[in-house]
């Protein structure tokens, strides 16, 4: 395929990063090749701004990123020739946000709390130790994960039945809850797919040329992104089945897990 104006949107945990070790070693040669060919690799993840700053440095990525499950896109100055539409200058990046701030969602959780007393907790109420225990993150990583700007992860502690009632309750109040592994992310009407779409449209607006978008992900919260991209790559996981998609064309599934699978399919598509 012609790789001019190819954009790669990638989930992080379980996709570019190994599910168990968080290593990206297997993807390094491919990342280097993509960098030489000026193909942007855009992290599109549930992670926070501060987590991504650190991770981008570790991996060697200097371009745009999409965080908190599509809540906002951050674009470094100079990536585009002109200021991206609808963005504000924030923390050294052009920021396009797609939902309300965290404070809004914390107030919403306060309203439903009396109906679900003792059945859930959430990041802002949990100690660093609690977050480590629930996520498997180190204390330093947990501190970064807790610094959310646009949503709030809820740790459900009640029954599945009551969880459905909780999800209905927050949905009725305007939230768009997204179930991850252990957490229910409470945020607005935003997702990785809508953020990808906005970014692609902005890229076309700035360059006046067609774009091919490739999305790679392994989980349910990647479905919107995989559906929105021109080419969807489902990364095999040691812990769950690949996400089910409606679209059937231009869908690839890796045979290997995590970064090995990431490299496997991108090599087939681009090199």
């Amino acid at each position: 395929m012609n790789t001019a104006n190819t954009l790669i949107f990638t989930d992080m945990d379980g996709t570019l990063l190994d599910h168990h070790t968080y290593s990206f070693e297997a993807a390094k040669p491919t990342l280097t090749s993509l960098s030489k060919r000026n193909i942007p690799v855009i992290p599109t993840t549930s992670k926070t701004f501060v987590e991504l700053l650190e991770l981008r440095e570790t991996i060697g990525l200097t371009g745009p990123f999409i965080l908190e499950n599509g809540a906002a896109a951050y674009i470094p100055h100079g990536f585009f020739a002109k200021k991206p539409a609808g963005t504000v200058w924030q923390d050294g990046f052009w920021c396009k946000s797609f939902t309300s701030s965290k404070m809004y969602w914390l107030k919403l959780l306060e309203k439903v709390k009396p109906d679900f007393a003792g059945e859930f907790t959430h990041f802002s109420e949990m100690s660093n130790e609690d977050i480590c225990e629930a996520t498997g993150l180190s204390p330093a990583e947990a501190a970064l994960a807790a610094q959310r700007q646009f949503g709030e992860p809820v740790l459900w502690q009640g029954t599945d039945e009551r969880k459905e009632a909780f999800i209905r309750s927050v949905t009725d109040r305007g939230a768009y809850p997204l179930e991850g592994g252990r957490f229910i992310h409470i945020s607005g009407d935003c997702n990785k797919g809508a953020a990808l779409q906005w970014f692609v449209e902005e890229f076309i607006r700035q360059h006046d040329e067609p774009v091919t978008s490739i999305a790679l992900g392994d989980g349910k919260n990647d479905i919107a992104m995989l559906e929105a991209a021109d080419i969807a790559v489902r990364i095999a996981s040691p812990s769950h089945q690949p996400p089910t998609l409606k679209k059937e064309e231009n869908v690839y599934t890796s045979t290997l897990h995590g970064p090995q699978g990431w490299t496997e399919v991108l090599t087939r598509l681009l090199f």
Side-chain angles (χ1 to χ4, degrees):
M1 65 179 269
N2 177 9
T3 59
N5 290 343
T6 298
L7 298 173
I8 294 173
F9 297 85
T10 181
D11 176 48
M12 300 308 278
D13 294 354
T15 298
L16 180 54
L17 306 176
D18 183 86
H19 178 78
H20 297 295
T21 65
Y22 297 112
S23 165
F24 64 98
E25 198 63 39
K28 272 185 181 173
T30 309
L31 286 163
T32 303
S33 303
L34 292 167
S35 175
K36 280 179 184 160
R37 291 166 70 170
N38 292 319
I39 297 175
V41 174
I42 301 162
T44 306
T45 170
S46 61
K47 291 185 183 297
T48 63
F49 178 77
V50 284
E51 284 180 290
L52 273 170
L53 284 189
E54 198 167 281
L55 200 49
R56 282 164 76 251
E57 200 168 312
T58 304
I59 296 170
L61 296 174
T62 57
F65 51 99
I66 292 166
L67 44 71
E68 293 192 38
N69 287 316
Y74 281 80
I75 299 155
H77 184 66
F79 181 84
F80 287 129
K82 296 176 283 212
K83 172 184 178 290
T87 58
V88 295
W89 186 250
Q90 187 175 308
D91 300 320
F93 294 86
W94 293 113
C95 172
K96 167 71 176 173
S97 60
F98 302 98
T99 183
S100 305
S101 70
K102 176 172 84 169
M103 198 46 69
Y104 180 89
W105 305 111
L106 289 178
K107 285 176 183 164
L108 185 148
L109 287 174
E110 283 307 311
K111 285 176 189 161
V112 303
K113 207 164 270 181
D115 297 334
F116 299 94
E119 292 182 282
F120 74 88
T121 184
H122 52 92
F123 266 30
S124 298
E125 286 198 331
M126 294 163 76
S127 67
N128 198 283
E129 207 176 328
D130 292 337
I131 294 173
C132 291
E133 204 173 304
T135 58
L137 296 171
S138 72
E141 290 165 341
L144 296 180
Q147 292 182 50
R148 308 193 79 78
Q149 294 166 295
F150 301 100
E152 179 74 347
V154 164
L155 181 62
W156 185 254
Q157 295 165 319
T159 64
D160 283 352
E161 214 171 9
R162 290 288 291 156
K163 180 166 78 173
E164 294 312 313
F166 170 78
I167 286 171
R168 276 197 305 276
S169 179
V170 292
T171 303
D172 289 347
R173 286 170 167 81
Y176 284 74
L178 185 65
E179 279 192 77
R182 293 203 61 188
F183 290 89
I184 305 166
H185 290 268
I186 305 298
S187 191
D189 185 10
C190 59
N191 60 58
K192 292 180 178 185
L196 176 151
Q197 230 154 358
W198 174 85
F199 191 93
V200 167
E201 282 163 16
E202 184 59 27
F203 196 95
I204 293 167
R205 188 180 81 85
Q206 298 254 2
H207 292 268
D208 203 21
E209 289 174 355
V211 164
T212 300
S213 55
I214 301 175
L216 303 99
D218 73 310
K220 282 182 183 172
N221 65 346
D222 298 315
I223 291 173
M225 170 177 79
L226 295 168
E227 295 279 11
D230 296 316
I231 296 169
V233 180
R234 304 186 306 173
I235 300 297
S237 169
S239 68
H240 54 257
Q241 289 298 308
T244 305
L245 302 183
K246 289 194 186 90
K247 75 178 197 178
E248 291 169 5
E249 282 185 25
N250 292 325
V251 176
Y252 298 84
T253 307
S254 71
T255 57
L256 304 171
H257 296 158
Q260 284 92 347
W262 196 90
T263 287
E264 171 200 355
V265 181
L266 284 180
T267 302
R268 188 161 25 132
L269 289 173
L270 299 174
F271 302 112

